[in-house]
Amino acid sequence: MTQSRYSATEWQARVDLAACYRLMPLFGMSDLVYNHITSRIPGTDDEILINPYGWMYEEITASSLLKINLQGDVLEQGCTDAVVNQAGYVIHSAVHAHRHDVGCVIHTHTRAGMAVSCMKEGLLPITQTAMRFADIAYHDYESVAIDMDEQQRLVRDLGRSTSMILRNHGLLVACPSVAEAFNAMYWLEMACRAQVDVMTSGAEILHPGQAIVDKTFRLYQPDVRRPFGLMEWPAMLRYLDRRDPSYKN
């Protein structure tokens, strides 16, 4: 399986997605062989890349990714004989089908993300990092996401937001690119970790005023200063290359 098998745009999408998979465990955001990151293939409406079920994130390479359509059909097996996780397909295909502005979806089951997902108050805007997600969406838990009829409720709850807390479950981000999605998930994870740390400490929590929260939220919108993640992505790739560049294979 070589790069020549694919168009230049698809190969770049594969490399970026494989890089994202490799970055997640390095920053403590993976869950054994579970969870998913999907990327829409540029120039298509219904073709996405997804990880082979049963592989750890640190094993993913550009050529091992599966190409599927939004109906769940495998269009390109990659260099594996793996299958697609049904729960991953249900969640990710729903977002890609209803949000054509979304190029990448990341879903995690991190310890801090799950903890905040169980809190009735959800994510509190008590840190600058958390204020970035002042419009975060929420979706109530409906058991393991294998029922197709949950898709309509999931996309309804997500709306136009780029981030969502799946109650009693985990975190999700939906962004235009892999670079922006990784950055958003990293910040969302850090916001959850900070909240758990503060609440565990037992200290009295300082709550910034709503005007400050609103101002901070606005400053993180992509059309105000810049789309966060794009500038940072080359540095993330260099970070990987210094450790293990095999994600490009």
Side-chain angles (χ1 to χ4, degrees), residues 178-237:
V178 170
E180 291 163 279
F182 175 77
N183 186 268
M185 181 57 80
Y186 174 82
W187 280 47
L188 180 55
E189 172 67 16
M190 293 303 107
C192 289
R193 292 185 193 182
Q195 178 168 320
V196 172
D197 288 346
V198 171
M199 296 181 78
T200 302
S201 75
E204 183 177 357
I205 299 176
L206 290 174
H207 293 270
Q210 189 60 48
I212 294 298
V213 173
D214 292 343
K215 176 182 179 180
T216 306
F217 170 73
R218 178 180 174 277
L219 289 173
Y220 283 107
Q221 300 315 297
D223 58 344
V224 175
R225 290 191 291 169
R226 61 184 174 87
F228 284 86
L230 298 183
M231 182 197 74
E232 297 85 348
W233 190 241
M236 304 315 301
L237 296 181

Side-chain angles (χ1 to χ4, degrees), residues 104-146:
C104 180
V105 179
I106 304 178
H107 170 48
T108 63
H109 292 168
T110 62
R111 182 173 175 176
M114 289 190 292
V116 172
S117 79
C118 298
M119 297 177 183
K120 187 175 182 180
E121 60 267 61
L123 183 66
L124 300 173
I126 55 175
T127 61
Q128 175 175 282
T129 305
M131 292 178 211
R132 175 178 175 175
F133 303 99
D135 71 337
I136 196 164
Y138 292 87
H139 175 65
D140 287 340
Y141 188 60
E142 299 187 26
S143 189
V144 179
I146 58 175

Side-chain angles (χ1 to χ4, degrees), residues 13 15 33 36 41 45 49 58 76 79 84 110 135 148 164 174 176 183 225 239 249:
V15 170
V33 300
H36 309 277
I41 297 176
D45 289 328
L49 299 170
E58 65 184 15
E76 169 67 58
C79 63
V84 176
T110 62
D135 71 337
M148 295 298 291
M164 183 159 69
N183 186 268
R225 290 191 291 169
Y239 180 85
N249 294 342

Side-chain angles (χ1 to χ4, degrees), residues 90-91 94 139-157 166 169:
V90 169
I91 293 173
H139 175 65
D140 287 340
Y141 188 60
E142 299 187 26
S143 189
V144 179
I146 58 175
D147 296 327
M148 295 298 291
D149 64 354
E150 184 178 355
Q151 289 187 317
Q152 59 182 334
R153 293 181 291 279
L154 189 146
V155 296
R156 176 201 65 199
D157 293 340
L166 306 174
H169 188 174

